[in-house]
Amino acid sequence: MRSMLFMTLSAILLLMAACTQKSENAYTVTGTADGTQDGDTVFICEMQGYFNLVPTDTTIIKNGRFAFNGEFEGAALRWLMPIHEGEPTTLAMFVLEKGDIKAALIKGEGESKIEGGPNGKIYDEFMEGNNKIAQQMDAPWHISSDSTKTEVERQAAEAKLDSLNKVMVAYQKKFIIDHVPSAASDMLFGFCSFSFSEEEQEEILKIFGEKQPNFPIYKGIMAERKATESTAIGHTYTDLKMDDPTGKSIKLSDFVGKSKYVLIDFWASWCGPCRAEMPTVVEAYSQFHNKGFEVVGVSLDESKEAWIKAIADLKMPWPQMSDLKGWESEACATYHVQAIPANVLVDENGNIIAKDLRGEDLLEKMKELLP
């Protein structure tokens, strides 16, 4: 009996621990929206591409208030957009992070008030300092782009802009480093990294690695680097196991080492550039297969029917594999495939000796290797 009771209590404690862990990144966004009424919609949006706001969550106003609940790792800019009679009443930016966020949204161009967490405050502090430098750049920018000014005046203004830009980059770098570890510093590095030199990026990433390895942007950068390095020329290929068009499970290792060279070719039936490239791959296969050249197609298709039809239409005689998961394919993650067509050339020892050979480059490389 005592043993059963102990097991029951242990199970409860484990369940409580799991619930606590799940809610570690929990957030709430609550507030009011001026100019709306019960039943109106409020969106949380994120920016994608160039000024394209995309809704990521939605709620309905009840009793004059709205509320969002969820979980979020790190910190990121988001926008609150209430809708009344099909039109936005305002648009208010905030930093989404774990914890409680309170908003009072004002209709039109009035200043909405959003009280966020510590990362929101860090972001506000960063923008205050950044904007002060940006304001100093206004006057020289206007002079540098004013055709009525003399060449001497414009050159002086451009020199001033260059100087202020260096001041801004130095400010951004110092601010980010000073606020490690924080989710805000991770977010700000994502915003500002393009302004930093390679050496500055390495310096910041080293500090991140020492102090905050668990925030999403840093983890994403390091995961991308690892994937890129693992498929770099000189590294050993990574095996893949998927089904062929008949449903039989095959592996890259079934072919690597059996031929002198294997081209791992990433493609899809829906990819126009892939289809345009395929006659060259067919020609290379025709010329060099008997000399020790093999091709293994790795398709990013989702439709098995379209995949099989494309193989026949494009007259591809070599082995094919796919997990029919599109861009979620294991191949994309393993070989860091972000665009297709793409390929990796592997020698008989399993070493990657070339990548992304297109058109005549593929034919010339095979002539060099298999004269």
Side-chain angles (χ1 to χ4, degrees), residues 254-273:
D254 294 336
F255 309 98
V256 174
K258 311 296 190 300
S259 298
K260 293 180 180 179
Y261 300 98
V262 174
L263 185 75
I264 306 170
D265 189 44
F266 303 96
W267 72 288
S269 66
W270 44 260
C271 169

Side-chain angles (χ1 to χ4, degrees), residues 220-250:
I221 291 172
M222 299 314 291
E224 184 172 336
R225 285 189 170 198
K226 183 177 180 181
T228 302
E229 289 172 1
S230 67
T231 60
I233 292 173
H235 282 248
T236 304
Y237 87 107
T238 302
D239 206 3
L240 289 174
K241 181 180 180 181
M242 297 179 187
D243 287 350
D244 71 5
T246 69
K248 177 185 175 183
S249 178
I250 62 173

Side-chain angles (χ1 to χ4, degrees), residues 191-247:
F191 294 158
C192 302
S193 60
F194 71 93
S195 299
F196 301 139
S197 67
E198 186 175 336
E199 291 76 15
E200 289 170 326
Q201 290 184 33
E202 291 300 325
E203 179 185 350
I204 296 171
L205 286 171
K206 183 174 183 293
I207 294 170
F208 276 23
E210 293 169 352
K211 295 185 178 181
Q212 62 167 53
N214 293 318
F215 286 112
I217 291 175
Y218 171 76
K219 287 195 298 185
I221 291 172
M222 299 314 291
E224 184 172 336
R225 285 189 170 198
K226 183 177 180 181
T228 302
E229 289 172 1
S230 67
T231 60
I233 292 173
H235 282 248
T236 304
Y237 87 107
T238 302
D239 206 3
L240 289 174
K241 181 180 180 181
M242 297 179 187
D243 287 350
D244 71 5
T246 69

Side-chain angles (χ1 to χ4, degrees), residues 38 58 60 66 79 120 122 133 136 138 141 148 165 169 206 214 220 224 250 261 275 296 301 328-329 335 367:
D38 283 6
T58 180
I60 302 297
F66 63 85
W79 283 258
I122 292 172
I133 302 170
Q136 298 176 52
D138 283 345
W141 183 84
T148 67
N165 186 64
V169 171
K206 183 174 183 293
N214 293 318
E224 184 172 336
I250 62 173
Y261 300 98
R275 299 181 78 105
V296 179
D301 275 286
E328 298 302 316
S329 172
Y335 280 87
K367 286 177 185 177

Side-chain angles (χ1 to χ4, degrees), residues 134-144 157 161:
Q135 288 168 6
Q136 298 176 52
M137 301 173 81
D138 283 345
W141 183 84
H142 285 294
I143 294 172
S144 68
L161 282 174

Side-chain angles (χ1 to χ4, degrees), residues 112-131:
S112 297
K113 295 182 180 179
I114 300 180
E115 182 182 343
N119 292 292
K121 293 178 174 63
I122 292 172
Y123 175 78
D124 290 341
E125 181 186 346
F126 170 82
M127 289 306 298
E128 182 180 356
N130 204 70
N131 288 340

